Amino acid sequence: MRIGSFKAKADKVGELLQIYQNDAIPVIKAAPGNAGAFILQQHSDPYSLLACTVWGTKEDAENYHKSGQAAEMVNKIKHTFEGPPELLTYESYGI
């Protein structure tokens, strides 16, 4: 699982969520090896977001990243970020 953690600008959070849901999620879900994609918005801090992608294998995630599609999706929303995102990769169990 890959998790991108970031803060949205206060006046751009709605735009970010709309772009991610309408543009990024369908592209990610169509990538070979993808098992799911979603974005989480924190209740206590609605500007704190986690973009989560689930992959069949580590190689699937790396291939998606290397394809340039990940960078393309970030470029569509980076103007809405308060600061730089942090990308973390995890092994997932029980999914």
Side-chain angles (χ1 to χ4, degrees):
M1 177 176 280
R2 290 213 165 163
I3 299 176
S5 174
F6 49 91
K7 286 245 187 197
K9 294 177 182 174
D11 63 336
K12 298 288 185 183
V13 69
E15 180 182 356
L16 185 154
L17 291 168
Q18 181 180 9
I19 293 170
Y20 197 86
Q21 289 180 89
N22 295 336
D23 296 348
I25 288 176
V27 169
I28 296 165
K29 284 185 172 183
N34 182 265
F38 52 93
I39 191 163
L40 303 173
Q41 183 179 33
Q42 192 178 99
H43 284 181
S44 62
D45 180 2
Y47 310 115
S48 291
L49 303 158
L50 299 174
C52 306
T53 57
V54 182
W55 300 93
T57 66
K58 181 180 175 185
E59 291 75 26
D60 291 333
E62 290 172 354
N63 289 336
Y64 173 73
H65 186 78
K66 290 176 190 174
S67 76
Q69 288 182 307
E72 185 179 325
M73 292 302 115
V74 169
N75 284 336
K76 285 186 174 195
I77 59 173
K78 69 181 180 182
H79 69 280
T80 67
F81 293 168
E82 186 66 42
E86 180 181 14
L87 179 63
L88 304 168
T89 302
Y90 296 86
E91 290 295 328
S92 56
Y93 302 92
I95 293 179

